[in-house]
């Protein structure tokens, strides 16, 4: 089989779509539209429909790091994780210092507003450390931890254990996470953070490339459909057991959803092959790091003016997307790019 190019159009296109999905999760789209039972089902459905995004990013990371990780596992940790660590540290510091509540800032002052947030983080220091200065930054340490664990297994010739071990860790993460109220299992920190989910998803991408796993378009679509339906059935069943429908990052069927999507995209490598795809996709990590801080600005705007419904959603979505993209693209043309992003 021919080696993969550095850029696969369909995967780059999905980077952009997945980044938009992450923004949709964080802006709580359609949250003002409850159904007759009082639950904001439209918001919850869009929230869960967007949950393919982070698993896709993990699988994508494993897919592209596979050759380097196999050939140079220890040196790859340094090369791969150094820029991620820098982005995590820089944006954690920015988020720790940047006020998030305009009302508290105006009434109580900067220090009081920030100290309240810092005290909140210190209530669970291990969990806060694994996230960073703002909740969305959890993705970066989770990815670095997954890569480091994989490098360890490869370095000590235990590659055959990587998939089963990561699967067991994933199962524990689900049962001690979304299923915790039923299983009564616990974890020292929120199982979304750390290696519980990231390791298995990155390993899937790694193995897709290493083992050259392929499916036909119809088979990949069937796997994707099974994953989506299974994820939503799980989420609704857990809802009947008292678990918030929109609270799930990963469920038992989520890996099938993300894997089916990834394998489907590999059957259509030229889909999305357009200059604008690459223009946007090369900035996804920068957008990921900065988007929530910008979304918080718009949260304060709609809150201050009591804007609700579709106008609220339009301001949150287009304001966050456009402002974040402009911010990132401007920074990329300045020396600040090396400090804030790469």
């Amino acid at each position: 089989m021919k080696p993969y190019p550095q850029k696969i159009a369909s995967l780059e296109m999905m980077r952009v779509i997945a980044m938009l999905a992450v923004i949709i999760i964080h802006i709580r789209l359609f949250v003002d539209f409850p159904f007759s039972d009082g639950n904001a089902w439209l918001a919850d459905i869009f929230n869960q429909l967007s949950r393919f995004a982070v698993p896709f990013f993990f699988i994508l990371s494993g897919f592209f790091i596979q050759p380097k990780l196999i050939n140079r596992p220890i040196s790859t940790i340094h090369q791969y994780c150094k820029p991620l660590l820098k982005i995590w540290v820089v944006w954690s510091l920015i988020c720790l210092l940047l006020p998030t509540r305009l009302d508290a800032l105006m009434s109580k002052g900067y220090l009081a507003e920030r100290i309240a947030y810092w005290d909140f983080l210190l209530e669970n220091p291990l969990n806060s450390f694994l996230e960073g200065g703002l909740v969305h930054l959890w993705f970066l340490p989770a990815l670095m931890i997954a890569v480091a664990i994989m490098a360890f297994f490869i370095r000590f010739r235990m590659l055959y254990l990587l998939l089963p071990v990561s699967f067991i860790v994933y199962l524990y993460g689900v049962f001690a996470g979304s299923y915790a109220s039923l299983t009564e299992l616990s974890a020292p920190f929120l199982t979304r953070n750390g290696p519980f989910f990231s390791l298995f998803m990155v390993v899937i991408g790694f193995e897709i490339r290493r083992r050259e796993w392929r499916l036909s378009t119809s088979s990949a679509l069937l796997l994707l459909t099974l994953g989506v339906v299974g994820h939503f059935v799980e989420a609704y069943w857990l809802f009947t057991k008292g678990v918030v429908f929109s609270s799930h990052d990963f469920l038992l069927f989520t890996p099938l959803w993300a894997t089916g999507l990834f394998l489907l995209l590999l059957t259509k490598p030229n889909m999305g092959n357009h200059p604008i795809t690459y223009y946007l996709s090369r900035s996804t990590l920068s957008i990921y790091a900065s988007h929530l801080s910008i979304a918080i600005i718009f949260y304060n705007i709609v809150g201050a003016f009591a804007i609700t419904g579709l106008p609220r959603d339009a301001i949150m979505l287009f304001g966050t997307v456009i402002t974040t993209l402009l911010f990132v693209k401007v920074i990329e043309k300045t020396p600040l790019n090396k400090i804030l992003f790469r």
Side-chain angles (χ1 to χ4, degrees):
M1 188 171 291
K2 294 188 297 184
Y4 287 100
Q6 287 189 333
K7 300 287 185 181
I8 299 173
S10 58
L11 299 182
E12 297 304 306
M13 177 193 70
M14 192 51 62
R15 279 186 200 263
V16 179
I17 296 172
M19 189 61 248
L20 179 61
V22 169
I23 293 174
I24 286 173
I25 292 171
H26 289 153
I27 65 171
R28 302 176 68 204
L29 200 64
F30 301 127
V31 73
D32 294 326
F33 295 86
F35 279 30
S36 57
D37 61 0
N39 292 299
W41 280 108
L42 190 59
D44 289 348
I45 289 169
F46 267 82
N47 176 288
Q48 289 298 293
L49 278 174
S50 301
R51 294 296 175 169
F52 74 91
V54 173
F56 169 79
F57 282 133
F58 281 136
I59 292 177
L60 186 72
S61 300
F63 182 83
F64 280 113
I65 201 177
Q66 183 270 333
K68 291 182 179 179
L69 205 53
I70 281 287
N71 295 325
R72 301 180 302 277
I74 302 304
S75 63
T76 297
I77 297 176
H78 177 263
Q79 295 170 0
Y80 188 80
C81 294
K82 183 179 178 181
L84 296 179
L85 181 61
K86 188 187 82 169
I87 292 172
W88 179 72
V89 169
V90 168
W91 278 95
S92 289
L93 290 173
I94 290 172
C95 294
L96 285 172
L97 295 174
L98 193 67
T100 56
R101 291 185 53 197
L102 181 60
D103 56 343
L105 178 67
M106 299 297 290
S107 62
K108 300 178 181 179
Y110 173 80
L111 275 181
E113 193 275 344
R114 285 292 79 196
I115 288 173
Y117 180 64
W118 299 336
D119 286 343
F120 167 75
L121 295 179
L122 289 173
E123 290 175 4
N124 193 338
L126 179 57
N127 196 70
S128 298
F129 174 75
L130 289 169
E131 290 180 352
L134 199 56
V135 62
H136 71 298
L137 296 173
W138 73 269
F139 172 81
L140 298 174
L143 178 56
M144 289 186 283
I145 291 169
V147 170
I149 293 173
M150 292 168 68
F152 173 85
F153 273 77
I154 295 167
R155 172 64 179 80
F156 291 98
R157 303 184 186 280
M158 296 187 294
L159 185 56
Y160 64 97
L161 290 174
L162 192 52
L163 189 58
V165 168
S166 64
F167 178 65
I168 292 169
V169 171
Y170 184 89
L171 286 181
Y172 188 86
V174 173
F175 290 139
S178 292
Y179 284 80
S181 61
L182 304 179
T183 64
E184 298 185 353
L185 292 174
S186 62
F189 49 83
L190 187 65
T191 57
R192 178 202 58 196
N193 301 330
F196 287 108
F197 298 139
S198 64
L199 179 60
F200 184 51
M201 303 309 298
V202 177
V203 168
I204 288 175
F206 176 91
E207 294 288 27
I208 285 174
R209 186 161 187 169
R210 185 176 78 91
R211 298 174 184 263
E212 298 185 344
W213 286 341
R214 299 293 179 276
L215 289 179
S216 65
T217 300
S218 57
S219 296
L221 187 58
L222 180 61
L223 182 63
L224 166 62
T225 303
L226 177 63
V228 173
V229 172
H231 179 101
F232 272 83
V233 169
E234 273 187 275
Y236 185 75
W237 181 77
L238 287 167
F239 173 76
T240 66
K241 303 297 181 181
V243 183
V244 177
F245 186 87
S246 62
S247 65
H248 312 293
D249 291 281
F250 297 84
L251 290 169
L252 295 175
F253 277 83
T254 312
L256 299 184
W257 179 3
T259 303
L261 173 62
F262 196 89
L263 291 173
L264 179 63
L265 292 167
L266 288 182
T267 70
K268 307 288 183 181
N270 292 317
M271 184 168 57
N273 190 11
H274 190 279
I276 196 169
T277 296
Y278 303 103
Y279 175 76
L280 294 173
S281 69
R282 67 172 179 257
S283 300
T284 50
L285 182 57
S286 303
I287 293 170
Y288 190 95
S290 58
H291 79 277
L292 190 51
S293 294
I294 292 172
I296 287 170
I297 296 172
F298 288 97
Y299 268 119
N300 279 282
I301 291 172
V302 298
F305 292 97
I307 301 171
T308 61
L310 285 177
R312 179 261 184 205
D313 291 338
I315 291 171
M316 289 300 305
L317 179 61
F318 294 109
T320 301
V321 170
I322 294 171
T323 305
T324 304
L325 185 58
L326 287 174
F327 171 77
V328 167
K329 290 302 180 181
V330 168
I331 292 297
E332 287 177 347
K333 298 182 181 298
T334 72
L336 283 174
N337 188 49
K338 292 184 178 180
I339 299 173
L340 295 180
F341 300 128
R342 284 291 183 179

